[in-house]
Amino acid sequence: MNKKLLSERDICTKFIAPAVVSAGWDIQRQVREEVSFTKGRVIVRGKLHTRGKSRRADFILYHQPNLPLAVIEAKDNTHTVGDGMQQALDYAEALDVPFVFSSNGDGFLFHDRTGNAALTETELTLEQFPSPAELWQRYCAWKGFDAEASQKVEAPYFDDGTGRMPRYYQMNAINRTVEAVARGQNRVLLVMATGTGKTYTAFQIIWRLWKSRQKKRILFLADRNILVDQTKNNDFKPFGAAMTKIAKRQIDTSYEIYLSLYQAVTGAEEEKNIYKQFSPDFFDLVVIDECHRGSAAEDSAWREILAYFSSATHIGLTATPKETKEVSSIHYFGEPVYSYSLKQGIADGFLAPYKVVRIDFDKDLQGWRPPAGMLDKNGQPIEDRIYNLKDMDRNLVLEARTQLVAEKITAFLKATDPFQKTIVFCDDIDHAERMRQALVNLNPQRIQENRKYVMRITGDEQEGKAELDNFINPEERYPVIATTSKLMTTGVDAQTCKLVVLDQHIKSMTEFKQIIGRGTRINEDYGKFWFTIMDFKKATELFADPAFDGDPVQVYEPKGDEPPVPPDDVPEQPEGGGPVGSDGDDAPPDDGDDLGGGAGGGRIKYVVGNVSVFVVAERVQYYGADGKLITESLRDYTRNCVTKQFGSLDAFLRRWSDAEQKKVIIEELANQGVLWEALAEEVEAKQGGKPLDPFDLICHVAFDQPPLSRKERADNVKKRNYFAKYQGTARQVLEALLDKYADTGLEPIEDIKILQLDPFSRFGAPIELVKAFGGKAGYTRALTELESQLYEQRQA
């Protein structure tokens, strides 16, 4: 057997797997092959989407299920033993494993990331592959585990019998947290983007600590009722009879897992602080969901509970750690033990990317000044000054503006899908109600079908709040459009929300991330791969803020004798003074909506009905591969992709000419987001409808060359009498291949299975047709020559 002729898969099966098994690894429990650990980024252009390539490890070795130790990257034997190392290190970094191997079947190159080895990289023979015990021992030394701690981190995951495994980043978060607790760390912070499964991650952490009896009584705190109920009924369900939800201010100490709304156990009056009915050492673990809100502030209700149960381990979960000069999560919990950002989630294909539609109105940009002595609709004299974007719907209501926003939303839904779930974020409850009315009047047919097509879902109104579960349930068609203010900014698991409308002033990065998070979940069963943000108040300018998707940064700097724990938020003061209302950080139970319209007694709001409003600018932007918003067309995107890879027309032509199979280049560009069908449709329409193959699409779009149709290319080959040197069956096959190319393009003729189809089947069986060329090598040579003839004119 010539090892050089074996495929990579053969090398894995015949050499690598046997070496691993010989070293003592259990192939059933400890070894997984060809593990795709990401989904492949969703790439959106126009109304179409595709997925990039997923990241796939050839082998992952585990100490036990979900506790990975090593990655092996395999290459075929035409490569050296270390050729796969850089790729393997990239995977190991993502998978949080310390031991990395590269192999070509001759042996292994071993890279030890712990820093404890005498040499970082060493070459091993196939027989020298390390045993499970050796790598586990090295792992424990790296992590600083003694015998007791190493036993604790072996606490198993919950297994529901379906084979469901945590995603790689969830595994990292769970393992890092359990390891931190095993080492005695009592304040732990996890940062995971909205939609990445924080609650499931929390469940596995609690399960492992509870089942191993490291933690016997656990309190899970959240600040929205819907969060508590979703948690109890979904991810935490396996706790069964050991779990209870604290309700009606009643305490029962016979349970082990307690879920609570923090408002249900605290209050301004001492008798409402029912958590004090538990002894201070009753809980040995407290998990705080969305800890960027209440618990970030020193004098919040959550912080009181944490101080009371100070002997317990505290684990904070957040998508957006609160880090301002006034308020900090990190000051309390310490640096995150693990972070997984929105940008990473989109790059991995676990979170939905987005398009942004930005719409600017004349009165927002240019401002509006009332004529002298003008009264609003309520008879109030309007203060004489210039009102602009920051005043809209807070200090000034232009009814025509509300109408225009509603018209744009309606037009978008009609042009795409009138039943795609939509959340419209408004400035306050009054604004949400006006928006509901405008949308109802613009969609009479839909309202006639079902009055719940549009619903206001805000904290002040029971009927709307009662529809929240139906809105987030993918199987429920209604409500379709929800107008809201603060209530739906967090904790609303709206998997099928495809349109997020921002008609709200958003200055807090925390709140902005939470709102964007309403759309980032992917639901493939319901065709939800990406979503659209429609922005009317320049909120998406926050995308340009470095804090949008960077790592948490601590900026609090205590001076002199100031305490190390920062004070609470300072409420925003709009022009004219008076509180704006809650910013959602310390929201009352199931509320947080700013009542507006004078309901809070602070802000004067003028309502004007006879001022026209016009659209000044409207543009569409995409989420780019680098995490930035880009404004560009399909052609621009393709040109950038091609020129980044090839640099010049000559470089592309050389690569195209050298490629044994052109479909390899076509697939490479597809993985980078070139949507061939959409591009062909767009370019061919401008070329009189003549069908172009990928070669001409690239040359035309990226390098401004005049394109030839497939038929024109095929005719040119025929004119050159290229077939003269072939006789009989071979000539018939080549002529038929040329006709097939003209009809269906390049890729079908590169697949030898085409010989099984008509008209080839009329000339003879595939094996006979190949023999007409002197065998498979001769057939492949003739096909390569045919392809070079097809593209010869361009290369001349």
Side-chain angles (χ1 to χ4, degrees):
M1 178 174 58
N2 185 345
K3 201 186 270 191
K4 298 283 182 207
L5 298 178
L6 294 179
S7 68
E8 184 182 296
R9 193 69 246 145
D10 278 332
I11 294 294
C12 290
T13 305
K14 293 177 171 35
F15 298 98
I16 298 175
V20 168
V21 172
S22 294
W25 294 85
D26 183 334
I27 199 79
Q28 298 297 330
R29 291 185 65 257
Q30 294 182 300
V31 182
R32 288 190 65 209
E33 295 185 54
E34 295 194 331
V35 186
S36 291
F37 59 92
T38 69
K39 295 275 280 183
R41 184 170 69 95
V42 175
I43 301 156
V44 182
R45 290 292 170 271
K47 294 177 183 175
L48 299 174
H49 75 273
T50 185
R51 273 200 186 269
K53 236 178 177 174
S54 65
R55 298 168 82 191
R56 188 176 70 184
D58 290 322
F59 290 84
I60 302 179
L61 306 184
Y62 298 81
H63 173 63
Q64 63 188 45
N66 300 311
L67 216 168
L69 295 180
V71 169
I72 306 174
E73 178 59 29
K75 295 292 177 192
D76 65 37
N77 201 248
T78 61
H79 293 79
T80 67
V81 72
D83 270 1
M85 181 51 74
Q86 293 195 147
Q87 188 179 344
L89 284 167
D90 183 49
Y91 292 167
E93 216 166 73
L95 295 166
D96 207 20
V97 299
F99 308 118
V100 193
F101 298 87
S102 169
S103 179
N104 64 351
D106 290 340
F108 295 96
L109 182 64
F110 173 34
H111 184 110
D112 187 326
R113 297 178 63 227
T114 66
N116 295 334
L119 279 176
T120 302
E121 288 193 354
T122 49
E123 282 207 24
L124 307 174
T125 65
L126 292 174
E127 294 72 33
Q128 288 175 318
F129 194 84
S131 69
E134 183 187 337
L135 288 194
W136 177 242
Q137 191 179 1
R138 288 191 186 207
Y139 183 89
C140 291
W142 174 52
K143 292 284 187 175
F145 299 149
D146 56 21
E148 186 185 352
S150 65
Q151 199 175 350
K152 286 178 178 177
V153 301
E154 290 179 297
Y157 278 65
F158 171 77
D159 183 355
D160 63 2
T162 65
R164 176 188 179 182
M165 288 183 70
R167 291 171 175 171
Y168 84 90
Y169 63 84
Q170 292 171 337
M171 207 182 292
N172 292 349
I174 295 161
N175 291 340
R176 289 260 192 115
T177 305
V178 170
E179 288 170 359
V181 173
R183 280 195 302 265
Q185 188 174 324
N186 280 325
R187 302 289 177 267
V188 180
L189 180 63
L190 273 180
V191 178
M192 293 170 67
T194 300
T196 55
K198 284 195 299 295
T199 316
Y200 172 71
T201 301
F203 161 71
Q204 286 286 10
I205 290 166
I206 295 169
W207 179 271
R208 291 179 67 192
L209 296 173
W210 178 62
K211 273 292 183 181
S212 61
R213 308 312 288 161
Q214 293 177 59
K215 304 294 178 187
K216 298 182 178 67
R217 286 194 287 249
I218 294 118
L219 174 62
F220 180 89
L221 282 172
D223 75 339
R224 297 283 162 95
N225 218 3
I226 189 169
L227 285 172
V228 177
D229 291 338
Q230 279 177 356
T231 300
K232 183 172 185 284
N233 299 330
N234 299 324
D235 288 319
F236 279 36
K237 204 171 183 180
F239 287 124
M243 172 176 59
T244 188
K245 176 187 173 184
I246 299 173
K248 298 180 181 173
R249 298 193 172 272
Q250 292 175 346
I251 296 295
D252 180 344
T253 58
S254 63
Y255 292 90
E256 295 181 61
I257 313 288
Y258 292 80
L259 281 68
S260 178
L261 193 68
Y262 82 87
Q263 297 94 332
V265 292
T266 62
E269 296 84 33
E270 185 59 29
E271 66 270 15
K272 288 187 176 175
N273 289 325
I274 62 163
Y275 66 87
K276 292 184 178 175
Q277 291 177 34
F278 294 107
S279 64
D281 59 356
F282 184 83
F283 293 110
D284 43 23
L285 175 62
V286 181
V287 178
I288 308 97
D289 197 16
E290 305 294 358
C291 69
H292 62 275
R293 290 205 292 276
S295 66
E298 185 184 12
D299 59 355
S300 70
W302 279 6
R303 192 58 71 81
E304 287 174 30
I305 299 172
L306 298 183
Y308 185 76
F309 299 116
S310 60
S311 63
T313 297
H314 299 164
I315 298 174
L317 306 170
T318 181
T320 50
K322 189 96 180 187
E323 297 307 315
T324 68
K325 288 183 180 178
E326 293 82 29
V327 177
S328 169
S329 301
I330 289 175
H331 255 299
Y332 183 80
F333 291 101
E335 291 292 331
V337 294
Y338 187 71
S339 295
Y340 187 73
S341 69
L342 172 66
K343 187 174 178 179
Q344 286 172 286
I346 292 174
D348 286 343
F350 294 120
L351 294 181
Y354 41 82
K355 284 198 295 187
V356 175
V357 179
R358 282 181 171 162
I359 300 173
D360 297 328
F361 297 140
D362 61 335
K363 300 299 185 289
D364 294 353
L365 300 185
Q366 297 155 17
W368 174 76
R369 185 175 180 179
M374 183 178 185
L375 304 179
D376 79 345
K377 285 189 78 172
N378 299 319
Q380 297 182 94
I382 304 173
E383 183 190 345
D384 181 19
R385 65 179 179 86
I386 294 173
Y387 295 84
N388 55 28
L389 181 61
K390 70 176 186 293
D391 297 298
M392 297 302 166
D393 301 301
R394 280 195 166 281
N395 304 313
L396 177 72
V397 173
L398 296 180
E399 291 184 331
R401 187 188 182 285
T402 306
Q403 179 69 15
L404 196 48
V405 170
E407 284 174 9
K408 286 291 178 185
I409 295 168
T410 302
F412 181 88
L413 292 174
K414 282 181 177 172
T416 51
D417 171 12
F419 289 96
Q420 60 187 294
K421 299 273 184 169
T422 300
I423 305 177
V424 186
F425 286 99
C426 303
D427 269 306
D428 51 39
I429 288 173
D430 166 59
H431 185 195
E433 174 56 24
R434 286 186 289 104
M435 189 61 69
R436 183 196 68 80
Q437 291 172 25
L439 287 163
V440 163
N441 288 330
L442 285 166
N443 293 275
Q445 182 192 338
R446 302 293 172 207
I447 298 297
Q448 206 169 3
E449 290 166 7
N450 191 308
R451 69 176 180 83
K452 293 180 179 177
Y453 180 76
V454 183
M455 293 290 289
R456 170 167 64 88
I457 300 179
T458 48
D460 69 314
E461 200 236 12
Q462 284 308 313
E463 191 182 1
K465 277 168 70 177
E467 290 298 324
L468 189 51
D469 282 346
N470 289 330
F471 180 81
I472 65 181
N473 183 350
E475 293 180 12
E476 290 289 342
R477 174 166 263 201
Y478 301 100
V480 174
I481 305 173
T483 68
T484 190
S485 171
K486 300 288 182 188
L487 182 61
M488 297 175 73
T489 56
T490 57
V492 179
D493 189 5
Q495 298 173 26
T496 52
C497 176
K498 289 186 180 179
L499 179 62
V500 174
V501 180
L502 305 178
D503 197 25
Q504 184 181 97
H505 294 83
I506 304 167
K507 295 300 175 194
S508 154
M509 181 59 72
T510 298
E511 189 174 4
F512 178 63
K513 282 187 176 181
Q514 291 289 348
I515 286 174
I516 298 308
R518 299 312 103 215
T520 52
R521 286 168 174 81
I522 288 175
N523 188 318
E524 297 191 12
D525 294 340
Y526 289 86
K528 160 73 185 299
F529 290 89
W530 52 280
F531 69 107
T532 302
I533 299 167
M534 190 175 273
D535 181 17
F536 294 95
K537 285 193 173 147
K538 292 185 176 291
T540 52
E541 287 183 355
L542 286 166
F543 281 127
D545 189 316
F548 173 62
D549 215 358
D551 295 323
V553 177
Q554 175 55 276
V555 292
Y556 173 69
E557 296 171 0
K559 305 280 191 301
D561 296 330
E562 289 177 355
V565 180
D568 200 352
D569 276 0
V570 178
E572 178 191 346
Q573 293 291 323
E575 286 185 32
V580 169
S582 166
D583 73 351
D585 281 341
D586 282 306
D590 281 330
D591 201 338
D593 281 287
D594 176 6
L595 295 172
R603 172 160 34 95
I604 295 173
K605 185 186 286 188
Y606 304 111
V607 181
V608 179
N610 55 354
V611 173
S612 56
V613 177
F614 303 101
V615 174
V616 175
E618 189 167 341
R619 61 200 180 281
V620 178
Q621 296 176 300
Y622 296 94
Y623 181 93
D626 59 357
K628 292 180 179 154
L629 282 175
I630 47 175
T631 308
E632 64 182 357
S633 68
L634 189 58
R635 291 170 73 108
D636 292 336
Y637 185 83
T638 305
R639 185 185 293 115
N640 288 341
C641 272
V642 174
T643 52
K644 200 180 287 181
Q645 183 155 339
F646 298 109
S648 68
L649 176 60
D650 284 344
F652 169 68
L653 293 176
R654 274 197 304 276
R655 176 77 197 283
W656 186 267
S657 177
D658 292 345
E660 281 184 29
Q661 288 206 313
K662 317 303 181 201
K663 70 177 180 184
V664 172
I665 299 173
I666 295 166
E667 285 170 4
E668 272 177 18
L669 289 168
N671 284 331
Q672 289 175 37
V674 173
L675 300 177
W676 290 110
E677 286 176 26
L679 184 67
E681 193 179 312
E682 187 179 307
V683 175
E684 287 168 8
K686 292 181 180 175
Q687 296 292 323
K690 61 183 185 182
L692 306 175
D693 77 3
F695 178 85
D696 280 281
L697 286 172
I698 291 172
C699 290
H700 178 62
V701 169
F703 304 111
D704 300 315
Q705 300 293 311
L708 291 178
S709 69
R710 294 197 300 263
K711 187 172 186 313
E712 285 169 334
R713 289 197 169 280
D715 287 346
N716 285 341
V717 174
K718 288 174 184 173
K719 284 175 197 168
R720 287 196 291 273
N721 202 20
Y722 154 68
F723 298 118
K725 62 180 178 178
Y726 292 97
Q727 302 299 321
T729 303
R731 181 164 180 159
Q732 283 181 301
V733 168
L734 287 170
E735 285 173 344
L737 283 171
L738 198 57
D739 290 338
K740 275 287 183 189
Y741 163 79
D743 287 343
T744 60
L746 183 67
E747 288 180 82
I749 72 168
E750 289 196 325
D751 189 341
I752 200 166
K753 288 178 183 170
I754 199 171
L755 299 179
Q756 298 169 11
L757 307 177
D758 192 62
F760 303 97
S761 55
R762 295 203 299 266
F763 309 149
I767 194 162
E768 293 169 337
L769 302 184
V770 169
K771 272 183 184 171
F773 293 89
K776 189 175 179 183
Y779 173 78
T780 304
R781 232 179 356 259
L783 183 62
T784 302
E785 195 180 347
L786 173 60
E787 288 182 348
S788 68
Q789 288 288 324
L790 277 169
Y791 301 109
E792 188 178 273
Q793 184 178 351
R794 174 78 69 209
Q795 296 173 60

